[in-house]
Amino acid sequence: MELRGKQKQYLKKEAHHMNPLFQVGKGGLNEEMLIQIGEALEKRELLKITLLQNTDEETEDVAAAIEENLQATVVQQIGRTLVLFKPSSKEKNRRYSTVVEKI
C-alpha cells in the first residue's frame, strides 16, 4: 500500500508513544521473527521494531526484508527504530486503516 504524506503523518503521530514490540538482536531477522511480526501486524496494524546495538543487521536491510516478505509499509525510520504499517484483513482489527483510507 502506497501512503501519501498526510497518511504517513497520521501514522507517525499515532506510533509516537508506542513502545517497540520487537527487537532485532544478535540472531538477526529470521523466518520465525518474520512470522511473529506478520501476526502482530495483522492484529495491531501499526507497530515499532528496534534494532539492538549488538546486531549485525542494517536498518535499511531489515526494512527491505519486512516490506518484501510481509508486504508491510515502513512508515518511518529513525536511527535504529522502524515504524511498520499493514492494513488488517479482518474487519474487527481495523483501527488505523479505516482512518488512513479517509485521509
Side-chain angles (χ1 to χ4, degrees), residues 21-39:
L21 196 61
F22 291 96
Q23 295 178 334
V24 179
K26 217 187 293 187
L29 187 68
N30 54 31
E31 197 64 37
E32 183 63 35
M33 186 176 276
L34 281 172
I35 291 169
Q36 291 176 353
I37 291 170
E39 291 171 355

Side-chain angles (χ1 to χ4, degrees), residues 67-86:
E67 284 183 329
E68 181 182 324
N69 292 315
L70 302 177
Q71 286 73 45
T73 304
V74 175
V75 176
Q76 185 178 33
Q77 175 184 336
I78 298 178
R80 299 177 73 82
T81 303
L82 298 171
V83 177
L84 305 174
F85 172 72
K86 182 178 179 186

